[in-house]
Every structure is written in C-alpha cells, then in structure tokens.
Amino acid sequence: MLAYIIRRVAYAFPILFGVNVALFSLFFFVNSPDVMARQNLGEKRVTPEQIENWKREHGYHLPRFFNAGETGWSKLTQTIFWQKSMRLFIFDFGKSDSDNSRIGEAVCRRVPYSLFVTIPIFLIGMAIGLVFAVLAAFYRATYIDAALLVVCVFLMSIPLMLYILAGQYLLAIVLKLTPISGFARPLWIALKFLVLPVIIGVVAEFGSGVRYDRTIFLEEINKDYVRTARAKGLGEVAVLFKHALKNAMIPILTSVVVAVPFLMTGSLLLEKFFGIPGMGNYLIDAIHRQDFAIVRAMVFLGSVLYVGALIAVDVSYTLVDPRVRLK
Amino acid sequence: MNGFRRFLPRSFFILHSSLFLFLSACSNNPYRPGEAAKPVYFSSFDEPPSKMDPARAYYSHEGEIIGQIYEPPLTYHFLKRPYEVIPLTAAEPPKPTYYGNDGKVLDDSDPPADLVARVEYTVRLKRGILYQNHPCFAKDADGAPCYRNVKPADIERFEWPTDFERQGARELRARDYALQIRRLADPRLTCPIFSTIEQYMEGMSELQKAYTAMLEEIRKKRKDAKGAAYNQEKDEKDDPILLDYMKPDLPGVEVLDDYAYRIVLKRKYPQILYWLCMHFFGPMPQEALDFYTQPAMAEKQFSINRCPVGTGPYYLKVFRPNELIVLERNPNYHEDFYPTDGNPGDAEAGLLADAGQRLPFIRTQYYHSEKEAITHWHKFLSGYYDASGIANDVFDKAVNISRLEGPQLSDSMIAQGIRLITDVDTSLFYLSFNMLDNVVGGYDEKRAKLRRAVSIAMDSNEFLNIFLNGRGIAAQGPIPPGIFGYRSGEEGTNPFVSAWDPKTRRHVRRPLETARKLMEEAGYPGGVGPDGKPLTLYYDHSQGGDTAFRAQVDWTRKKMALIGIRLEERGTDLTRYREKRQQGNWQLGGGGWLADYPDPENFLFLFYGPNREAQKDGPNMTNYENKEFDDLFGKMESMGNTLDRQNIIDRMVAIIQRDAPAVWQFHPVSFALTHRWYRNVKPHQMSYNVMRYKRVEPGLRIERQNEWNRPMLWPVVLLAVILLAGAVPAAVVVYRKERGL
C-alpha cells in the first residue's frame, strides 16, 4: 500500500504543476503586474514611478518565465513564475500583496477558526443525518418516510443565505437568544457565537445529508445478508443498526473523507455573515481587496487538499472494506 | 432491546440538561459580562486596516486607527467651522519666512508667488511629550537597548509588543519628525502623497534616488551571496533591510535642536500647514525602526506597519485584523484639553459641556469585525454599538425625509432615544466629459452647448432621491460646502444648468425644453446629427460587475434619451480602462474627489491644465485646458483666504460652469445615528484624531441594553416539547414492531 500511496503522490505533482501554470497564466497574463500595482496603490494620484516601486518591492519587476539578463540557473529562478508559483510546492505562500503579512502564518492561524464552525456542523450533521436516514429506512414506504422526504426536498431547496438571514432574525433579533454575529477568544467565550452558525449549518445540510444516506440504507436493506439476518429472527433495529449500518458506511465514508479536508477551507457565507475569522473570510477579504497573492495561494491550497482527499478516500476503502486491496 | 431502553431515558436526560444549560446561557449580548459598564466605546470595521505605517496609510479606515496614535505637529479645531488649524505637538502653528530670488528675506507677509524662491517653516515642539510605553524604548542598566539582536526563541511567547516584559518611553524630539519626512521618500513604502510633496519640498526627489541606490547596493550584495536561490521577497521577509535614513542630505528638512525643525519649500505653498495636520507628518522614533527590522521581529510579524508607536491619546493594544482591534488610553499622553469655544449653537447642543476638561474621556475603544451592514445595524439597535451610519436598505425605517423640515428620525428611533447627525461631505461626484474627444470635447460654443444640454438632462436631485435616499445636495460647481470659495444658495447657482427655487430653497434643474433647445443650437435637433443619424455617446467604465452602478447607468441612459441622445456602455476591465484614460481615448466617465484638506485648490486642481490625465498622469480626468483658468489657478493656489481669493475663485468657477467639462452631480450628505449615552459628537471631515473628545455614559448604556434585549425563552421550550411529543409515537411504533405487537 505504501508503494501505491507514493505512486499516487507522485502522480499528483504533474496535476498540481498544471494547476500552477493555469493559475499563473490566469493571474499574470489576464491581470498584469501594473494593474495589480494600481489596485493596491489605490485610485488617487498613482504615478508611473509608484507603480515601478511597488512592482520592485513585491518582486513583480522580474520577467515572467525567462530572465535573459541573468546567468545560469538564475535565468529561470529570477522570474516571477519561479519566485511566485514554484515555491508554492514547498508551501511557502509568500507575502500578501496588500499588507505584506505572511500568508502561510495567516492560514495556520485561521484554519482552527474555520474548524470551530465546520467540525461541529460536520459531526452533528452527520449524526443527525444518519439517525434520520435510518428512521426513513425503518419507516420506508410509509407516510412518515414520505413526509421526511418532502421536508428534505423543501430544506434542500432553500439557499444558505436565506437560512442565515432567517436564523439571525429569529434567534438573535426576535428571540434574542444568541449574538447575531461576532467572535471572541478564548474558545469557551466563542461558544455563544458558534451556536447560531452551527444550528444554521446543520439545518442547511440536513436535507441533502438525509436523502443521500437514506438511498444508501435502502440499497443495503434489500441485500441478501439483510434478508438472512431477518430470517434468523433479528429485530429491525438490530438489522439496521448492527448490520446494514456497517455496510452502508463504505459509500458514506467516501463522501465523508472527501469533505474532511475542505473543513479547513471553511464556509465562505457562514464566516462572512457571522464574522468568524476563518479561511472563508480570509479568501473573501482577499478577493475584495484584489490581493492576488492570497487568492493564488488559496486556490493552490484547495487543489492540494482535493488531490489529497482523493488519495485519502482510496486508502480509506482498504480500511473499511477488506475486499479492497490497493496495488 | 435493553440497550435501547437504557438509551431512551439517558438521551432524555442529556437533552433536558443541554436545553436547560443552553437556555440559562442565552443572550444576544456579544460582549463579556460587565464590559459595557466601563467607559469604553464599541464600534465595528468592515475592512481591516492593511497599512498602518504613517508613510503608507491613506484610506479613512486606516486613518481612523493611526490618526489616534501618531501625532503630527498640527491638527484641526474640533468644533470650529470653517476648519481651523491649531497646534497639537507644536507650540504654535509655524509661520512662513519667504525668500526672494536674491536669497534675501521678503518683507511682505503674503508676497506674490512668482517673487518667492524659497519658503521656510520652523516648527517648534511642546516639551515633555512622551511616547507610549513600548519595548523599543526599554533600556538596561547601562543604558543600552534591551531588545537588540534578539533571537526568535526569546520572543516566541509574545503575541504583541505590549507583552514584552520590559517597556520604556522617551520624550518626543524634532529628529523624529525629520526621520518620518525622510521615510516618505523610501521607494519601498510607495507613499501615496510623495508625488505631491516632492513638487514642493526641497531635495525629496534626490532623496528618493539616493535611497533607491542604497537599496540596490544592499540587494546586489545579498543576491551575489545567495546566487540563483535568491528570492528578494523571501530574503527581505526574513531579514528586512534597515536603511540609514538620515545619511543622505535633505535640504528640505533641517533639525535645529531637540525641539525645533525646519521645513524648506521650493515655492510658496500655504497648504503645507494642512499637510502638517496629517499622519504622514507624524513622528517616527528611530528606536522603533531598529526594533522592528530585526529578523526575529519580522518572524513574529512585528512591524511598524502592524504595530504603531506614537505619542497619541491611544495606543494599539490588540490588532487582530480579522476579528478585533482595541485601542487603549495612552497613560503617557500629554496635557490636552477639551476646547472652550466653538461655533454658534455648539454650547446649546451640549458640545461645550466638557469645556476645559482633560482628554481623552474614553478608556478603551473596541472595533469588531462586521462584514455585513445588517448585522451592524441590528447590534446598533440593540445598543451594542454606540453609533452607526444608515445603510440604504434600512434608511426608510430610520429616517423620514420631509420637504419642508428635511430629514427627521422615525418614531421608533425617537422612542429609543437615538439622535440623528448630518453633515455635508467635503467631496464631489461628477460625470466627466473627455475634452479631447471629437464629439463631447472641444471648446467652441456648440460643444459647450451639447455638454450643458447633457448637464440639464442629468437631474441630480432625481439621482439623489433614487440612489441615495436624498442624502446629498445637487452640485453647482467643483467646490463643496465647507471649503473656502463655496457659494451657497442663489448666488451659488450654476446659471447654465440650474435655477434657484426660493420655496424649497434648493437648486432645481432647468426645464428639459432648455436642454432640447441647446441640442438644436449644438447641431443636434431632436438628438439627430448633421449626418441624419441619432447622436450616440459612449459611457466608458470598468464597473460592469457592480449592480448598483449598472442601475445608475440605466438611469443615465433614460435621462439622455429625453433629449434624443442614445447612450451606449463601453464597459471594460480596469487595465483597458486605465489605458483609455491615459491615452485620452474615451468619451464619458464617472469621477469623484474627497478633500485631502480644506482648501479650494484641492478641488480646482482637478481642472488645471498641467494636471491633465492624458499623457501627463495628473488628476485632471477631463483633460480640460483653459489658459485663463490656469492663470487664475496659479494666482489662487498660493493665496490666503482673502476677498481677492474669493473673487478669483468665483471667476474660475464661472469659467468651468460655462465650459462644462463635467456634469456636476452632487456632494453627499453623511447621516450618522448615535445613542443618547454617546456624547460630544460633531462630524469632522478632516481629522481622524477626534475620538479623544468623545464621551460615553456606561450606566445608561447598560440600562438600555438590558431593557432592549430580554431573551424570549418560551418558543424554544415549546418547540422542544413538540419535538418530544412527536418522538413518543415513533418510539411506541418501534417498540410494538420489535415486540411483534
């Protein structure tokens, strides 16, 4: 299996290199360093000298791919592509274009805040989703199942934005039970700020989660081993929770493992509306400020996490399903 | 089934306990208990300041923070209007000494600009002003700095400079101001006002060249040492370059002694006093630069751009740009008192109740990150923020606009004791014509008539009502209210476009018939040109993604259609738009200007020929050039605010009203709401250093917060009961199914 993982990691490099080149082209051809300088220097009284100074100080004065004025390896290394893009591979994200802060450190600082929100939503949502999916399977083809499905489809049809606004209005403004937004340190103080976004996140994910899990359970409970278990006289609760649940976990695990890395990137809308200083907020701020150094780093990080998640899914199959062997 | 039976009561117990705990802790109060009972101020920010170096910060959200930390030698009077310059750290505002071409002092106190070859301003500082406590000033028993050559491990545990065990302070010196003025020339800092300052101050351009050469030399050495692996950004991130700022000569600034320095200008420029009110001209201690340029500090991201060091009434205690900014009262703050005089009406408004009292009043200022206007608004209504602006979405709930009485607070706002404060912004928004364009540009009477016709069609009052809830006044020329030279009422009317309505006491646009007649005289009867085709104008912009802007363009299109003009958009990306502007290859475009200082020169230079944008990169977006206007500008620019100056300004305004290089659209009016417990609020358009005058009454605030925010628990209990009641039949079904009943 180790050889398989190494091979998959090696395969990931050309993909990430491709992402890097595409990113570079997008940011440096469509948006020239001169424009980036103007955007960062503001609208008022920007002189050509200031633009040159800004480019010089941020390393954008170099040629894009090939520096004919240098010698040896420097022809390649003293270029924007090498200095800005290649070093992303060693997770050196450089400095923000707008405030010179270190992007890597900001990422490390913000990931926990995103996790404070996304992990409870993920775990509570998964637990509630599973319970209701099992219930739906238990009451399959009854009015309860049908009603649950209608509720799920209804909840799925509502955009997250509406959940946020309605949740804030109801719980914070009308009932005055939770702060409408904000964040504080340490974590035990932050808890009161997390209640509302977590409730909203769980409710918003409820419909799709239950429907997905229910489909898998229904598929499982029609299989032969379930029929055998019932024939042996096991009760429905034991059949569902002891036998069907274990086997249903394989496809559920796939969706879960893929989602785990993205817990770190946070929720753009939730973080923005609730003022949670996580990764989603960081990315939105960067887009708002047109800070392409941060946006570039975030896109690259997202692609790394995605590739990593796919490898993790493959590996996780072997852990939960003895029939799967990686070669 | 035994497990299931055990599970049910346990889950009920856990559910009940959690619900009880949740309900008992329920409150929408975002602060720690007791926090609001102290003399503290609560506010928010939507965009964190990214530049807090006084040589780099430019935008208002940056100025609002560092304006309270760095103290320039001068400032503006808090209450008096028109704005009056008063000393802050200076003993008195400096007076100019003028020198003629022969190098001798001119006797005239206000000589004509062309006789002046050099001007000197000597700034004398008050004694005994101390910096805030900071580790950069900390010294050991031998008098050596405590924190030099520190290792990363030594400071790993510190999150902020205030966490360092050893702190110190020292007296403000003239050299600190000289150092900061020199820093404006550092090419790394891309100071936003450098291009203006270098025009006036002796030796600034040469100083920047010297710094550039010094930097290049240091970088070359580092690059040679590291070879192909050299990465300038990474190298200077890990080991910042400390320039010896004082090494090159700068004839423009001379330190006379510890408490006096001299600024030397190349020509007469009385506006320098306004610049001396800005943070760009605040003091910078060399110790702070030495402290922050150590690699270990860079590693911790302690820098002058994030951790300012000043003498102001507050110091930055917490800076989490994604979450919270806290300013704390500076215990070393020098003697400073609330003004004892103001404008007529200030005393009646209670603005002189604290006259003569020691400043500042507020102990701590909390600024919380708030990205959404609606959450900010509801926190304000709940009493958790002390003041607020009014977003467009909630304007109708907060304010009623009465034709006769103007803006009035709604009943619900009055019931909460909220106060409304309005002030006309010292800014201008306009629609530019490119004077180099073949259709709308040019200086003959026909083209001017076309531009005037467009100006009449674009009814600013209607624009303000539709897009800004009436929050603005229709502009008649380039100078906004509050700036010397502005003419209000009937005498300020732009006769080509507007008329004065004595009933409503405001300017109204001339009838559309006048515009149609002007179109006819311009050679476009009914909007049809000499070639028989309808006149089509092009609106160039780079804001295609902005929905609010698109609505404004649609409105403009409808207004133009009223006089037969077809308007087409030429939306493009910012790069292309900038290129078009630089080449003068555009037709119509939006423009705006916010005053840097309260002087008409800061607005009239937007139409000064040598400042044109095409080819010259100046702020004159319209590329307007008129010799008479330019000559008058040359005279007016350096004059004091006298009757002669007013007459010249009147003439200049009349010239551009006639030539109409722009549709003067509006001067915005800012609306602010404050709670009753927040006092000494008077809008100030020029200074960011006014929080020291504000006061809060925490007792009243706590009382109101408690009254307005009682949690409503019964719906949650009811919901829990319904859910439990619903779960019982389900449990019964499971039980019966399992038992085969």
Side-chain angles (χ1 to χ4, degrees), chain B residues 500-552:
Chain B
W500 175 252
D501 181 359
K503 281 184 191 163
T504 56
R505 300 198 56 76
R506 62 178 195 163
H507 294 104
V508 291
R509 280 290 199 264
R510 288 188 171 279
L512 272 176
E513 274 316 309
T514 312
R516 291 188 182 118
K517 193 161 179 289
L518 284 169
M519 287 292 287
E520 203 175 316
E521 289 167 9
Y524 298 98
V528 179
D531 55 359
K533 292 179 183 170
L535 175 63
T536 303
L537 298 184
Y538 296 92
Y539 195 132
D540 292 273
H541 65 82
S542 62
Q543 294 167 271
D546 184 341
T547 47
F549 176 75
R550 295 202 67 81
Q552 291 173 12

Side-chain angles (χ1 to χ4, degrees), chain A residues 32-62 97, chain B residues 186-192 194-195 198 208 574-575 578-579 582 613 617:
Chain A
S32 71
D34 280 55
V35 178
M36 290 157 65
R38 275 194 180 281
Q39 283 160 344
N40 278 285
L41 288 169
E43 284 285 311
K44 261 181 157 182
R45 293 182 192 143
V46 180
T47 61
E49 293 76 32
Q50 283 178 310
I51 290 174
E52 283 312 308
N53 284 337
W54 188 90
K55 281 159 57 182
R56 168 90 232 183
E57 295 318 313
H58 290 82
Y60 293 116
H61 63 297
L62 296 169
D97 284 340
Chain B
D186 184 339
R188 295 173 298 178
L189 304 177
T190 51
C191 172
F194 180 75
S195 58
E198 72 173 332
Q208 183 163 74
L574 188 64
T575 322
R578 289 278 178 192
E579 279 172 15
Q582 278 168 345
E613 189 177 47
D617 264 321

Side-chain angles (χ1 to χ4, degrees), chain B residues 10 24 32 68 85 107 109 157-158 213 313 331 360 378 430-431 450 465 479 481 531 552 570 579 594 598 658 678 696:
Chain B
R10 276 184 201 171
S24 59
R32 293 179 197 213
Q68 305 187 58
V85 173
D107 292 336
S109 62
R157 62 192 184 281
F158 303 137
H378 283 293
Y430 55 99
L431 178 73
L450 171 63
N465 286 337
I479 302 175
D531 55 359
Q552 291 173 12
R570 279 196 304 216
E579 279 172 15
L594 176 69
R658 182 198 68 205
Y678 184 46
V696 291

Side-chain angles (χ1 to χ4, degrees), chain A residues 175-245:
Chain A
L175 303 181
K176 303 177 195 303
L177 297 176
T178 66
I180 190 167
S181 69
F183 198 81
R185 294 186 198 177
L187 182 60
W188 65 270
I189 291 180
L191 285 176
K192 67 176 174 184
F193 295 102
L194 295 176
V195 170
L196 186 52
V198 168
I199 290 174
I200 288 170
V202 168
V203 174
E205 293 295 318
F206 178 83
S208 56
V210 170
R211 282 204 67 193
Y212 179 77
D213 295 349
R214 174 187 171 275
T215 311
I216 290 162
F217 273 108
L218 288 182
E219 209 175 296
E220 285 299 321
I221 59 173
N222 289 322
K223 286 186 176 169
D224 291 344
Y225 73 89
V226 174
R227 197 177 303 122
T228 309
R230 285 200 189 112
K232 285 167 75 177
L234 282 181
E236 197 63 17
V237 172
V239 169
L240 278 173
F241 282 92
K242 271 193 174 174
H243 296 274
L245 182 63

Side-chain angles (χ1 to χ4, degrees), chain B residues 652-670:
Chain B
M652 293 173 77
V653 170
I655 291 169
I656 42 175
Q657 282 175 339
R658 182 198 68 205
D659 287 348
V663 180
W664 320 110
Q665 288 187 292
F666 62 93
H667 310 293
V669 175
S670 58

Side-chain angles (χ1 to χ4, degrees), chain B residues 337-380:
Chain B
F337 301 96
Y338 195 91
T340 50
D341 55 352
N343 275 17
D346 284 346
E348 293 75 12
L351 288 167
L352 287 171
D354 287 319
Q357 293 210 41
R358 180 86 190 256
L359 302 173
F361 298 122
I362 289 170
R363 200 188 70 185
T364 313
Q365 300 172 43
Y366 292 95
Y367 295 87
H368 294 266
S369 172
E370 205 76 70
K371 294 277 189 297
E372 292 300 317
I374 198 73
T375 54
H376 172 97
W377 175 248
H378 283 293
K379 280 188 188 170
F380 169 73

